[in-house]
Structures are given as C-alpha cells and as structure tokens.
Amino acid sequence: MQFARIAGLGKSLPDKVLDNLELEKMVDTSDEWITTRTGISQRRILGKDKGSSELGAKAAINALKNADVAPDKVDLIIVTTVTPDTIFPSTACYIQKKIKAKNAACFDLSAACAGFVYGLACAEKFIISGMYKTILVVSTEVMSSIVDWTDRSTCVLFGDGAGAAVLTASKKESFLATYLGSNGSYTDMLYVPAGGSKYSVTKEVLDNHDNCIRMRGNELFRLAVRAMADAAQNALELAKVPIDDIKLLIPHQANNRIITAIASRLKLPKEKVYVNIEKYGNMSAASSAIAFCEAWEDGLIKKGDIIVTAVFGAGLVWGSNVIRWV
Ligand SMILES: CC(C)(COP(=O)(O)OP(=O)(O)OC[C@H]1O[C@@H](n2cnc3c(N)ncnc32)[C@H](O)[C@@H]1OP(=O)(O)O)[C@@H](O)C(=O)NCCC(=O)NCCS
C-alpha cells in the first residue's frame, strides 16, 4: 500500500497591489469599513489579457522546485479554478504546456473556494489507488476578471493569486482523513449568472454585469462559519485526532470575522489559526493553497505536526483535510 504526502508547496501573486484607499476612489466605501468588516487591507490584481494559467504555472514551478521534482515526472495535473483561461481546453492543459510537464494527464476541477481541499483529496486517492505517483494540484484564480467593479458589496473582497502542491507516493501515512460536503440547494447564494451554457454573454448581460459575481454575503456568513467548523470537526473525528493535537488550522480566507468565529466554535486559540487575508483578500481556491504555502514558508509547519484545512465556497461546497506533516 502506498500513501501520499505533500512534497512541496508553491505560490504566485501578481505584483500589482490594489489597496483599500484606491478602492475608496472607485466605489462608495472606506478603508475603515473594509478593514473592520472583513480584515482585508489590500489585494493583488493580475491585469488585462492574462489568464489564471500564468499565475498557476509560476506557482506550480515553485512547488516542483520545493519538492525537488522535475516537471516530466508529474503524472497528473489537477487545476482548481472558477476563472479558467478559457471554457475549454482546461487550464490544466495550458499549465502543462507552460511548465513542460509532458507526461502528465490533465483536468480542471470545479469546487469554487473549496477547490484546493477537493483537489488534494482527489490527488491523494489517485496515489493511494496506485494509479499515479506524482501529482500537481494547482489552485489559481483571477477573481478580478469576474468582479463587478461597480458593486461595493463584492469588489472589495476579492483578489488574484495561485497556490500549488506536489503530492508524491510515500511509505508514511500523511493524509489522516478528508471530509467533503455540498448542498446544491444554495446555488443562488454565490454565483455568476451568465457566461455558461444557460445564459451566454450578450450585450444585455454585459450591460447588467451578469457576467460577474453575485453574492448574498450576509446569509453566507453564517453558513460559512457552520460549514467550515463542522467540516474540520468531522475530519478530525474520522482521523480520531483530538482538537488539542492540532498545530495549525488553515481556513479559507473569505472574512477575518468568519475565521475568528470558526476558531471560537472549535475552541482554538488564535495562534493556532493561520490568517493572511489582510494582504490578499478572498482568492477563492487559491486562498487556502497560498495560506498553506505561506504557513510552511513562515516555518510554522514542522515534521509530525497536525495541520487541518477548512474551506467553504459557492455551490455550496465545503471540506477539510487532516494532514500529519511527514
Ligand atoms: C460581505 C460581507 C463582508 C458584508 O459584511 P456585513 O457585515 O454582512 O455587511 P452587510 O452586507 O450586512 O451590509 C451592512 C451595510 O454595509 C453596506 N456595505 C456593503 N458593502 C460595503 C462597502 N464595501 N463599503 C461600505 N459599506 C458597505 C451595506 O450596504 C449595508 O448598508 P445598510 O446597513 O445601510 O443597508 C460579509 O457578509 C461576508 O463576509 N459574508 C460572507 C462572504 C463569504 O463567505 N463569501 C464566500 C465565501 S467563498
């Protein structure tokens, strides 16, 4: 039996910073409102005519370097994104070309902000089944391309970025448990109305900004807290790991008040909860991937530590992995 482990993590962020003061000039908002209601001070913006594969490829190359794995050794690339370069081919194929991972199979996975945890779950199962030995999971988002820059209730929240993980076959068990959940009765809580097969992009769609994010933020807030806390608890139960044994919780970074509420529900002290939302805002699936990478870069993750992810997103979907760092 072979297990799977994370052999390397990587990230990529665009250089352009959009801070709250600049947003004050674009919509009727204030640095004070954004900071106190969300914890976000700034976010990164990729800029026009660049796709999520550009960020994803850079994050992937960094993760491969950190794992000391050559691109041609990658068996499978799973990309999780709600902002693919194009409807098809998959962003995974664009990334494959950019990083020259010529021996990889490729596909995209759609699980919105929960994508990284869903991606890790798939990769781990492909490895323990014996089908593959080396898998790249890339969560990459250009949220700025689907944000309505006239809607103050959403445009202050999102940013662009990419995070990646290389999973390899291992003799030691690392993924102790994974819990995934969904509830399709909430599809209207957070979605992009047009641009898919149901409503194609027309002039009317563009005039109404129906190709952009729509969100019922207030209602989502409560659902997000409950779903992420429950996901972490369920995964810990499956892993038979008591909450006190957690070294670090890495939650999705949608709102600092959501993260605080999850920590309090789980009775976790704040030094055990990783937060970087102030620098980047909500980058959908890339948020937890980049948070994981930065926690590792900061030296917060050591051999033997128990790391727990907790994510939540449009669908609704949610999930959690319990990982022993080996
Ligand atoms: C979006 C969110 C930050 C809004 O915070 P909130 O405290 O719930 O604020 P509300 O939506 O109740 O709005 C409160 C007031 O602020 C106003 N407001 C909204 N956005 C604003 C902004 N950017 N600047 C200033 N005022 C704003 C609203 O118009 C409202 O004004 P009113 O009371 O006069 O009607 C918060 O609900 C949230 O983070 N929700 C969850 C987001 C989430 O989980 N997303 C998806 C996960 S992937």
Side-chain angles (χ1 to χ4, degrees), residues 43 45 143 147 154-160 213 215 280 282:
R43 66 289 292 143
I45 304 293
M143 298 306 283
V147 158
T154 51
C155 77
V156 303
L157 302 173
F158 296 97
D160 305 338
I213 298 171
M215 184 174 84
Y280 307 129
N282 181 349

Side-chain angles (χ1 to χ4, degrees), residues 17-318:
V17 173
L18 175 65
D19 66 21
N20 293 349
L21 296 176
E22 282 172 83
L23 275 169
E24 283 184 3
K25 296 178 204 150
M26 295 163 62
V27 284
D28 180 15
T29 190
S30 67
D31 175 43
E32 204 261 330
W33 191 95
I34 304 170
T35 315
T36 50
R37 298 287 183 121
T38 71
I40 302 165
S41 300
Q42 56 185 48
R43 66 289 292 143
R44 301 297 181 95
I45 304 293
L46 183 61
K48 271 204 176 322
D49 303 329
K50 290 177 183 168
S52 53
S53 72
E54 178 161 327
L55 291 174
K58 287 181 186 157
I61 287 167
N62 289 335
L64 287 166
K65 266 190 199 141
N66 289 330
D68 199 19
V69 168
D72 63 359
K73 290 280 181 284
V74 176
D75 300 316
L76 174 67
I77 302 174
I78 302 173
V79 169
T80 83
T81 185
V82 294
T83 51
D85 279 22
T86 51
I87 288 181
F88 69 83
S90 69
T91 299
C93 281
Y94 291 115
I95 291 178
Q96 174 187 33
K97 183 179 173 196
K98 287 192 163 97
I99 68 171
K100 302 186 176 66
K102 60 181 196 300
N103 297 315
C106 295
F107 68 85
D108 285 5
L109 179 162
S110 176
C113 302
F116 187 57
V117 165
Y118 272 65
L120 290 179
C122 284
E124 188 231 351
K125 301 308 174 205
F126 270 113
I127 288 175
I128 61 174
S129 75
M131 184 165 174
Y132 293 129
K133 285 194 159 45
T134 306
I135 302 183
L136 193 51
V137 178
V138 186
S139 295
T140 181
E141 300 287 13
V142 185
M143 298 306 283
S144 61
S145 67
I146 54 166
V147 158
D148 179 349
W149 290 104
T150 63
D151 174 12
R152 69 174 183 174
S153 69
T154 51
C155 77
V156 303
L157 302 173
F158 296 97
D160 305 338
V166 177
L167 275 74
T168 55
S170 159
K171 289 205 173 76
K172 290 187 187 152
E173 188 175 20
S174 175
F175 283 80
L176 304 184
T178 292
Y179 178 85
L180 304 176
S182 305
N183 187 342
S185 35
Y186 289 116
T187 46
D188 59 347
M189 286 269 169
L190 177 56
Y191 70 120
V192 174
S197 55
K198 193 168 174 192
Y199 301 114
S200 56
V201 176
T202 58
K203 184 178 177 306
E204 198 189 349
V205 160
L206 294 175
D207 289 347
N208 294 335
H209 301 176
D210 284 339
N211 55 323
C212 297
I213 298 171
R214 294 274 187 281
M215 184 174 84
R216 284 156 58 186
N218 208 285
E219 291 157 81
L220 268 182
F221 192 102
R222 284 183 296 277
L223 292 163
V225 173
R226 198 177 321 134
M228 279 192 270
D230 286 355
Q233 254 157 355
N234 288 335
L236 283 163
E237 236 166 71
L238 289 171
K240 299 188 174 55
V241 170
I243 191 100
D244 289 345
D245 289 4
I246 296 184
K247 171 72 185 305
L248 200 61
L249 176 76
I250 301 176
H252 174 47
Q253 314 276 315
N255 185 319
N256 198 29
R257 290 186 294 133
I258 293 179
I259 296 173
T260 307
I262 296 167
S264 122
R265 256 178 119 101
L266 294 174
K267 299 192 176 59
L268 272 179
K270 73 172 191 308
E271 56 277 10
K272 286 192 168 188
V273 183
Y274 195 79
V275 182
N276 64 1
I277 190 172
E278 69 283 358
K279 295 188 284 184
Y280 307 129
N282 181 349
M283 299 172 287
S284 183
S287 276
S288 53
I290 291 173
F292 208 139
C293 181
E294 292 198 342
W296 172 75
E297 288 170 345
D298 293 350
L300 299 175
I301 301 178
K302 301 261 180 339
K303 233 179 206 170
D305 287 346
I306 302 279
I307 312 302
V308 177
T309 59
V311 295
F312 168 85
L316 299 174
V317 291
W318 55 86

